[in-house]
Amino acid sequence: MTGKNGEVNESVEHAETPSEPKRIGRRLFLSVIGLGVVGVALGPGLSNIESKFLNIFSKKPGTGLASLLPGASQFRIYSVTNTIPIVANDAYRLRVGGLVRVPRTLTLADLMNMPATSLVKDFQCVTGWRVPNVHWKGVMLRDLLDAVGVEPGAKAVEFASFDGEYTESLTLAEARRADVIIAYEMLGAPVTPEHGGPVRLYVAPMYGYKSAKWLKSITLVRAGVPGFWERNGYDVEGWIGRSNGRTDQPVD
Ligand SMILES: Nc1nc2c(c(=O)[nH]1)N[C@H]1C(S)=C(S)[C@@H](COP(=O)(O)O)O[C@H]1N2
Ligand SMILES: [Mo]
């Protein structure tokens, strides 16, 4: 929804907590922020995690871009920290390390200079909502893994978010699938801050919780640690169909 000043106005009911239901998100104002990570708080009464961020409530009209994109309004915006951390495109860095031959820190431009992969897929949250035909673009994770050289012994890939809280993991075999991308476009446009921009993970064959937003680092490890929601009860193997009776099969 776009407010009268063009600001992004998401009213989000968070049905994502397996243990205790929790509501996040009231009015969300986005403004253009300079360098560094800052957070746009989703509402008052936030946990102390937010103290790590500078919470900015801007009365300035945002671009409202997110809400103009086809399909955007069907997404629920989720953030386990109740904030939208924002990093400017030119300040963005993605660290790829752990059990690799050549650890690398990539800029957004570095990613955009790599061969691109486009996918058109339905997005499925484990809680039931689904957005059809979402257009994604980014770099195949396996191309990135090949670029740094995975050491023998690495069996899993861990992902961390610059929200400071969210984590995910995949086995190395899953990470090497052709439908797992490091996405800088979603809904046919640059990934917006609320959707995890400038760069998020997109794991097409699995539920939305595997697709970590605000991607900060990719670390090759011997064994993956269960991610944020998996520590709260979700299946580590998040194949669509496993948790809510859908019949979708994992596809290449
Ligand atoms: N960093 C981070 N990534 C996240 C989440 C989150 O809360 N924080 N929620 C996950 C869940 S459960 C889903 S369904 C999708 C939702 O993506 P969206 O917020 O772009 O709609 O993001 C996933 N990635
Ligand atoms: Mo989800």
Side-chain angles (χ1 to χ4, degrees):
M1 215 189 315
T2 306
K4 66 175 181 336
N5 293 323
E7 80 273 23
V8 177
N9 178 4
E10 295 281 0
S11 211
V12 181
E13 189 163 343
H14 195 281
E16 199 55 48
T17 318
S19 43
E20 49 180 65
K22 169 179 155 198
R23 288 172 71 92
I24 63 164
R26 288 152 190 98
R27 286 176 66 78
L28 163 63
F29 298 101
L30 291 183
S31 60
V32 179
I33 312 293
L35 297 178
V37 180
V38 296
V40 176
L42 290 169
L46 302 170
S47 71
N48 56 14
I49 293 163
E50 281 71 55
S51 62
K52 285 192 233 155
F53 301 108
L54 172 63
N55 294 323
I56 294 181
F57 289 91
S58 171
K59 292 264 184 317
K60 276 185 228 138
T63 60
L65 245 190
S67 53
L68 297 175
L69 299 170
S73 59
Q74 300 169 55
F75 274 87
R76 315 255 170 100
I77 305 298
Y78 286 158
S79 177
V80 298
T81 63
N82 286 7
T83 62
I84 306 292
I86 297 180
V87 166
N89 286 352
D90 58 1
Y92 178 77
R93 298 292 182 275
L94 175 63
R95 284 182 286 284
V96 189
L99 298 170
V100 300
R101 276 196 290 281
V102 192
R104 278 190 66 183
T105 299
L106 295 108
T107 64
L108 184 58
D110 292 334
L111 288 169
M112 287 175 163
N113 284 331
M114 293 179 68
T117 296
S118 295
L119 299 171
V120 181
K121 302 271 185 188
D122 293 0
F123 189 88
Q124 175 77 54
C125 171
V126 71
T127 61
W129 57 271
R130 182 182 183 94
V131 184
N133 298 320
V134 181
H135 289 240
W136 297 86
K137 187 175 170 185
V139 175
M140 238 182 249
L141 175 54
R142 74 171 173 219
D143 289 344
L144 212 52
L145 298 181
D146 291 343
V148 294
V150 175
E151 295 273 16
K155 292 281 179 290
V157 186
E158 289 187 346
F159 306 91
S161 167
F162 60 77
D163 66 13
E165 197 68 21
Y166 205 81
T167 56
E168 255 306 335
S169 69
L170 293 171
T171 65
L172 191 52
E174 291 162 359
R176 298 195 68 87
R177 290 173 60 105
D179 54 1
V180 174
I181 64 171
I182 306 304
Y184 48 77
E185 281 190 26
M186 171 184 173
L187 294 159
V191 183
T192 58
E194 61 268 41
H195 284 301
V199 175
R200 78 181 290 175
L201 179 65
Y202 177 52
V203 182
M206 296 194 183
Y207 288 114
Y209 64 86
K210 299 300 283 190
S211 295
K213 308 204 291 185
W214 307 298
L215 188 62
K216 176 180 78 172
S217 64
I218 298 174
T219 310
L220 279 291
V221 295
R222 279 174 214 289
V225 169
F228 182 92
W229 283 118
E230 292 136 23
R231 292 195 298 277
N232 287 278
Y234 285 175
D235 202 336
V236 174
E237 297 296 315
W239 301 113
I240 291 170
R242 248 176 101 121
S243 298
N244 70 353
R246 288 197 61 88
T247 53
D248 314 44
Q249 294 302 313
V251 286
D252 269 313

